[in-house]
Amino acid sequence: MVISTTISDSDSHLHTTFASRYVRNPLPRFRMPEESIPKEAAYQIINDELMLDGNPRLNLASFVTTWMEPECDKLIMASLNKNYVDMDEYPVTTELQNRCVNMIAHLLNAPVGEDETAIGVGTVGSSEAIMLAGLALKRKWQQKRKSAGKPYDKPNIVAGANVQVCWEKFARYFEVELKEVKLREGYYVMDPVKAVEMVDENTICVAATLGSTLTGEFEDVKLLNELLMEKNKETGWDIPIHVDAASGGFIAPFLYPDLMWDFRLPLVKSINVSGHKYGLVYAGIGWVVWKTKDDLPDELIFHINYLGSDQPTFTLNFSKGSSQVIAQYYQFIRLGFEGYKSVMDNCMENAKVLKEGIKKTGQFEIISKDVGVPLVAIALKDSDTYTVFEISESLRKFGWIIPAYTMPPNAQHLAVLRIVIREDFNRNLAERLVLHIEKVLKELDELHSRIAAHVTPAKDEKEHQKEEEVVRYWRRLVDRDGTSGVC
Ligand SMILES: *Cc1c(COP(=O)(O)O)cnc(C)c1O
């Protein structure tokens, strides 16, 4: 939930165009109107205002799904009025969520026997999934410490400085210290060696990211597992790994089935994935799966019976819609392994086309890796004249929403543009985007050379020398004050 702020606009009323056919008076902006209005008017007013939002299909800032098949849209619309928590009333919806959990657990190689069911739950997204996984890890650690008669009030998590913001939220909301492994020049994910150096007896888990939010790169979970096993053996600790596979969890199983990062590794005890990213469902669904029943402490599971029969629940929310669960099940059976693989192959292919096109401009360094989430992260080779922030801003006029940001400590000097490739991005769009990037580069070059020409108009030689002397003098002053870089 975004903290409420509104577009600054002194007008306290909404003025509408077409709705004036139905309503005479403008609507108050921040107070509930005194009177009702016809449904057509309400529709028209909101529809007109929403026109100014960006086009989701051109929003390359986000991993979250922006297109589904019309058949699935139909199922979603038909289930909008079903509350997911009413398991007794909607047993089929509950059954579909259980099937999804099991399908995901098998995809992630959880050790689930033929007649066993996997342990996991559908959530609003990876953020809720991570809160739940984090709470389970914290509770397990506390139980162990308690029974050993040791203090259990200073839990910590070790993760890369590149973690998604939800880990910082978890740490602050649930009072766990987040110990971040700093990045470094040329290495923009968690270094497993450093991570294992940072763990101690209070570490509830090391959180690895499969698909760094910033660059799409996969962290080396296999190496982390090896090093942490050694450390555990040396010290007698029992520190597990959680994998945040929000974006990579639906990429790796299809594109890199031999990559060892999931439940096949002994220390990986829980994994989250975002159904609404490469799980290919609209915003509002995530999943967390535990390796075994023992990895989810019983005391976190609530049993309620006032909606019907006994229901175990472990979520932060009580009520929520069921359409996303149904949509996830649709995608699983509609696409199957084959379909997901071909969607992911296609995304990778489009990322490659885009990357090659961008490389050809000669202006960018490619920061994203070939193996990882299908995205292209780029940095300017030379940002003396203009920056990626200006490029991001200029691309908006063509409708593209492409974010620019600086990397976390200790790589904050690097500013990148990130272009996420989703299923609904195609080769034509990739080619057009490259054209627009070239155009923007040319415009910025021209603009900045005009500015430069204006700032230093041609002078006669003598005047020029005098000016240079003044500049040198100021430089010396500034350097002495330690404020160089200003001029
Ligand atoms: C997107 C993302 C999250 C948060 O996921 P939501 O599903 O949006 O809550 C967490 N971790 C990583 C690595 C992500 O990419």
Side-chain angles (χ1 to χ4, degrees), residues 63 125-127 130 164 166-167 209 211 213 244 246-247 274 276-277:
F63 293 103
S126 276
S127 303
I130 284 165
Q164 214 263 359
C166 66
W167 286 96
T209 306
T213 311
D244 176 359
S247 60
S274 289
H276 54 214
K277 291 186 177 173

Side-chain angles (χ1 to χ4, degrees), residues 236-250:
W237 300 334
D238 189 15
I239 301 169
I241 297 172
H242 173 91
V243 185
D244 176 359
S247 60
F250 280 113

Side-chain angles (χ1 to χ4, degrees), residues 401-413:
I401 302 169
I402 296 173
Y405 46 84
T406 52
M407 300 289 270
N410 287 340
Q412 63 272 51
H413 61 279

